[in-house]
Amino acid sequence: MDQVVPQRSDLRKMEDWLWEIPKSFRKDMRVPAQVYTSEEMIDSVLGDKSMWQLVNMTTLPGIQKYALAMPDVHQGYGFPVGGVAAFDIKDGVISPGGIGYDINCGVRLVGTDKSFNDVKDKLEDLAQAISEWVPSGVGKGGRITFKGSDMDDVLKNGVPEIVKKGYATEDDLDHTESGGVLSDADPRDVSLNAKKRGKDQLGTLGAGNHFLDVCYVDKVFDDKNAEKMGLYENQVVSLIHTGSRGLGHQIATDYVRLHMKAMSKYGIELPDRELACVPLSSEEGQQYWRAMCAGANFAWCNRQFIMWELRQAWDQVFGGGSDRLNLVYDIAHNIAKIEEYEVDGKKKKLIVHRKGATRSFPGQTVLIPGTMATSSYVLVGQETAMEKTFGSTCHGAGRSMSRRKARMTVQPQELLKRMRELGIVVVSGSTRGFIEEAPESYKDIHNVVDVVDSAGIAKKVVRLRPVVVVKC
Amino acid sequence: MSYKRLEHTADVEVLVEADSLESLFCDSLDAMVEIMGPEKKGDKSTNRTVSIGSIDLTALLIDFLSEVLALSEINNEYYEVEKIQFMNENRVEVVLAGRPIETFSEDIKAVTYHEADVVQDKDGKWSTKIIFDI
């Protein structure tokens, strides 16, 4: 594997917030690589292998225009986290590693009708109730178990399936990306092992960087769009971050393996096996597409069930009123979507891979969670994103410190004290998980969001401040 | 067990070294189990056989670990190698000893092929890097 990592001198500044690694950097590049960042953050972007992974993305067959990295980019495997690439649906590929193992990992923002003053004396009770209602941690099963064809129904029909069972409303569907269902899903393309891994995981957060936060709106940047989204200053809201759990992990595992075996049949050679891909139009490509859609449907249902559990916790603490918890928006940040863009003056259908990147369509709500002790942002998508970034923007703050280093440098008691001083109540089942997610493990969320705002691919609407953090 | 952790921004990367190919498979599994951090629940052991076929040795190791990872989550067990019944470049058949767990302390989502490369040096020592998606 050619591991020449791009240096600062290999990056050419194109615009104030945009740098490019030209096609001439490596002979197997089919298109240039572009990164949205700032002068302040560019050294951290070059501090790990993410730019090498970005260059590897440019070698995939059928890639259009450029491979993109968002300002929260960091080293992953295959694609870097924060990577976006689009492929022609006729002669381009689909790559499970370009979507990631946690298919449709995403974020959901829930609005409430309470202001911070209404809840500030009940934060401990709320944190406790949420941690009792929402299972988190490794191997923690949920309260929803499948019978008969239940699993296949969820995989096939997504959130509309659970509207019938009272876990979601029609209004929830209107505020979920793609209405909470990708209609090409086919449970028959999902392995038995994947279904077994997911059998008791609906309504569970999982571990790692997944969380449920209660926050309040501490700053409004754009009154008009805030009002449109139903958000206002001091309003209490909740952010839910999780994905398709073991079911999605196994779908990706199964298909990276299948595609790696099948690549030679299509004459595809790559610098990294984790980029394993096949033509979208091939049998193996279509199988993965249908399985990925099923995994995405499972993830939307997972976040929907967690919202239902949040409602139960809310009622327990406030004695009712959970019917006034509304879904502001639910967005995916590990997914592939078929979308239309202009390429060389012609409209083309492309399959856009977003791995740690969020859709940013004009007028659409964009959710960018920060760290447990800083801020999160709600933005609105812009037309510029359609022109420049295949309708995409960043998905979070982006890690900058390894988990091991975090464990060596962060003291749990000191972090807990710091959180208390900030007025944040924490419930975490794992000290290790808690310190690995310390705010200093991440880039500065304000700097990251400023890049996409200044570049015009998404604009700030409100800022959220956390007051309760529930995680594994 | 002979492995060391390498720096990786978001996930867990290890370098595993062993004197034989069989040991590389055993040590890689032990490394994965140590990262998962099983909270053990009794000593009852259940034998399970896994049989994997792959395109080459590197893929074989990663596919073997992926299969064991899936079994761990499905059966709520952690595993060690009881016996390697058969192994060549493209196929391995292993008897695993599985023991029950309360939980794992780390959620490994997947075992990746990224940067994995099973090689033997001039002294006969085997090694590979492995990145676990956390």
Side-chain angles (χ1 to χ4, degrees), chain A residues 8 22 48 65 96 114 178 307 314 323 331 354 383 455:
Chain A
R8 181 73 189 253
D48 64 14
K65 288 182 160 179
K114 293 204 181 294
S178 301
M307 181 173 160
W314 192 267
D323 53 329
I331 199 158
R354 298 187 179 96
E383 190 60 44

Side-chain angles (χ1 to χ4, degrees), chain A residues 97-172:
Chain A
I99 291 148
Y101 286 91
D102 197 356
I103 295 166
N104 189 4
C105 186
V107 189
R108 165 169 294 225
L109 179 65
V110 180
T112 80
D113 65 346
K114 293 204 181 294
S115 69
F116 178 59
N117 278 340
D118 298 330
V119 305
K120 66 178 183 192
D121 296 330
K122 293 202 167 181
L123 293 179
E124 295 276 357
D125 293 345
L126 188 56
Q128 197 53 43
I130 292 169
S131 70
E132 285 165 11
W133 272 100
V134 183
S136 67
V138 189
K140 289 284 161 63
R143 50 177 50 80
I144 294 129
T145 47
F146 288 110
K147 288 183 194 125
S149 65
D150 287 356
M151 169 66 98
D152 282 0
D153 292 343
V154 161
L155 296 177
K156 176 74 189 153
N157 303 323
V159 182
E161 179 66 30
I162 59 175
V163 169
K164 295 183 247 172
K165 297 183 168 80
Y167 291 106
T169 65
E170 292 292 337
D171 185 66
D172 294 338

Side-chain angles (χ1 to χ4, degrees), chain A residues 199, chain B residues 48 70-77 79 99-101:
Chain A
K199 70 179 186 301
Chain B
R48 299 186 191 275
L71 287 177
S72 302
E73 193 165 301
I74 291 165
N75 299 322
N76 282 318
E77 290 175 337
Y79 296 98
R99 293 187 177 81
I101 54 118

